[in-house]
Amino acid sequence: MTEDSIKETDATYDDDVVDMTPPEAAEYIASLLSSLRLVAAKSQFRLLADLISVAEEEARFHCQA
């Protein structure tokens, strides 16, 4: 995704998010995934919760890089 395509979306991006280092971005993503995994689990979407868990582990791995 290019910076031009980001500007074309309806979403607004906080400067703090755009200026994150890769490890900071990985920690942010892991936090979002953790919350989403809980929602999926409570909604009885077990496979989705498991998939999100794998993605969360991957993001946490990149936090350490």
Side-chain angles (χ1 to χ4, degrees):
M1 181 180 282
T2 65
E3 190 151 325
D4 291 337
S5 64
I6 290 173
K7 291 178 184 174
E8 293 172 3
T9 64
D10 293 336
T12 58
Y13 293 90
D14 190 344
D15 288 339
D16 293 338
V17 173
V18 173
D19 294 332
M20 286 182 179
T21 64
E24 290 171 335
E27 180 63 36
Y28 180 71
I29 291 168
S31 175
L32 293 173
L33 288 168
S34 177
S35 297
L36 188 57
R37 181 180 47 80
L38 292 173
V39 171
K42 287 182 179 182
S43 300
Q44 303 297 313
F45 292 112
R46 292 182 182 146
L47 177 59
L48 183 56
D50 288 345
L51 292 171
I52 293 168
S53 181
V54 171
E56 181 185 355
E57 288 177 25
E58 177 74 10
R60 295 222 184 271
F61 173 78
H62 287 282
C63 293
Q64 302 167 4

